[in-house]
Amino acid sequence: MNETAIPAPEGARDSSRRILVLSTVENAGDKLGQHTGPDDTIKVVVPAVRQGFLDWLANDQEAFAHAEEVAAETAAALPGHAVSSSAGEADVALAIRDALATFAADEIIVAVRSDDDAGIVEQMATKDAPHRSVEGVPIRFIIVNES
């Protein structure tokens, strides 16, 4: 997994919140942007869940490359300072824990599709995801409709 570091803008000051954004949804920047502010420091992780079941089992590199692109696009669309963007493990709980190992978040925002819109890999990836907190960091789930 590659992680894209994003340099701080000139004159940046300490942020009010450090937010880990994890999104299984493409083009979720507008919806997620409603939950982040210009003074926030943000890390974006996109789990590689938009793939077929057999590709998921094979740890498909194309899915990781695509997830990295989506993470970079999401980071660019959010207000605040995105310090990094990367693809993450397909298992949402594992992706969150991996991200928290390198980013001390005050809050975790997870964007997912509704159960009706999610594919089987995404449903499996989010099934066991924590819904209240991880390591004492509160989690907020946001349902994003792609229609």
Side-chain angles (χ1 to χ4, degrees):
M1 257 180 299
N2 293 328
E3 185 169 302
T4 304
I6 302 167
E10 281 188 39
R13 62 181 195 277
D14 288 341
S15 307
S16 61
R17 296 182 301 166
R18 293 177 55 83
I19 302 174
L20 170 60
V21 172
L22 191 131
S23 179
T24 62
V25 183
E26 291 185 40
N27 304 314
D30 288 344
K31 182 78 171 184
L32 286 166
Q34 298 171 18
H35 301 277
T36 63
D39 292 333
D40 294 336
T41 299
I42 302 165
K43 177 173 183 159
V44 176
V45 176
V46 173
V49 296
R50 294 301 282 180
Q51 58 195 329
F53 184 71
L54 293 177
D55 291 332
W56 177 67
L57 288 174
N59 196 15
D60 183 49
Q61 289 303 311
E62 277 185 43
F64 274 94
H66 182 70
E68 286 179 349
E69 290 174 22
V70 172
E73 291 167 3
T74 301
L78 296 176
H81 174 61
V83 294
S84 70
S85 63
S86 64
E89 295 294 331
D91 180 299
V92 170
L94 181 57
I96 289 170
R97 284 183 174 82
D98 286 350
L100 289 175
T102 60
F103 183 77
D106 299 318
E107 180 180 8
I108 302 166
I109 298 174
V110 180
V112 296
R113 290 173 188 75
S114 67
D115 287 341
D116 293 338
D117 292 334
I120 186 143
V121 173
E122 185 175 356
Q123 288 175 357
M124 290 173 58
T126 58
K127 179 181 72 149
D128 294 325
H131 285 272
R132 293 186 182 250
S133 68
V134 173
E135 299 174 14
V137 181
I139 296 177
R140 181 174 7 157
F141 272 78
I142 299 169
I143 305 298
V144 178
N145 296 318
E146 290 186 299
S147 34

